[in-house]
Amino acid sequence: MIDFDALVLKPAGVIFQIRISVTPLVTQPGEPAYEANGVYTKRDLDVEMQDGTIFSDHEVSLGIRLRDFVIPPDQGDLINIIDERHPAFGQQYWVGDSDEDGQGGAMLLLRTKEPPS
């Protein structure tokens, strides 16, 4: 069997990952924030409305290696971009969704609006 995590995710992460801080509000309530790495992605979304106008937005996500975490971040946890080299430095997000890829990684969908109570 091919270890996709070791052969692809880890070497790619070394090139593309940025430093983040995770505050585990939901996955580990009461525990302090900790540093980790992830691959930041921002993609533009254009949606055509019924009247033909275009609604433009963007989607921000963070790819993580599950092996890097004892308990990986999940819905409701906070993510801060602490890598000073990155354009999103200083941004704070909360995890809106988490999808494992079945190959040792997960994609965290990041949100900027307040999480639901």
Side-chain angles (χ1 to χ4, degrees):
M1 182 160 102
I2 296 174
D3 187 348
F4 189 82
D5 176 65
L7 294 173
V8 178
L9 294 180
K10 186 174 183 177
V14 169
I15 297 168
F16 297 108
Q17 69 190 6
I18 63 170
R19 297 294 297 157
I20 62 168
S21 173
V22 179
T23 305
L25 297 176
V26 175
T27 55
Q28 301 174 68
E31 292 296 315
Y34 59 90
E35 290 188 16
N37 296 309
V39 177
Y40 180 97
T41 303
K42 179 180 176 185
R43 74 180 181 116
D44 294 324
L45 300 171
D46 293 328
V47 179
E48 185 174 353
M49 308 304 281
Q50 284 184 333
D51 65 359
T53 59
I54 302 294
F55 174 76
S56 295
D57 201 358
H58 64 272
E59 177 180 85
V60 176
S61 59
L62 188 76
I64 60 170
R65 289 181 66 224
L66 295 173
R67 250 185 225 172
D68 291 344
F69 299 88
V70 174
I71 300 173
D74 207 343
Q75 275 187 304
D77 289 342
L78 293 179
I79 305 288
N80 287 290
I81 308 301
I82 60 171
D83 195 322
E84 294 179 359
R85 304 167 301 155
H86 198 270
F89 171 69
Q91 290 283 357
Q92 178 173 285
Y93 301 95
W94 61 277
V95 179
D97 189 29
S98 174
D99 295 311
E100 291 187 18
D101 64 13
Q103 299 174 350
M107 187 62 66
L108 307 177
L109 182 62
L110 303 181
R111 301 285 190 204
T112 54
K113 298 205 182 229
E114 291 296 318
S117 307

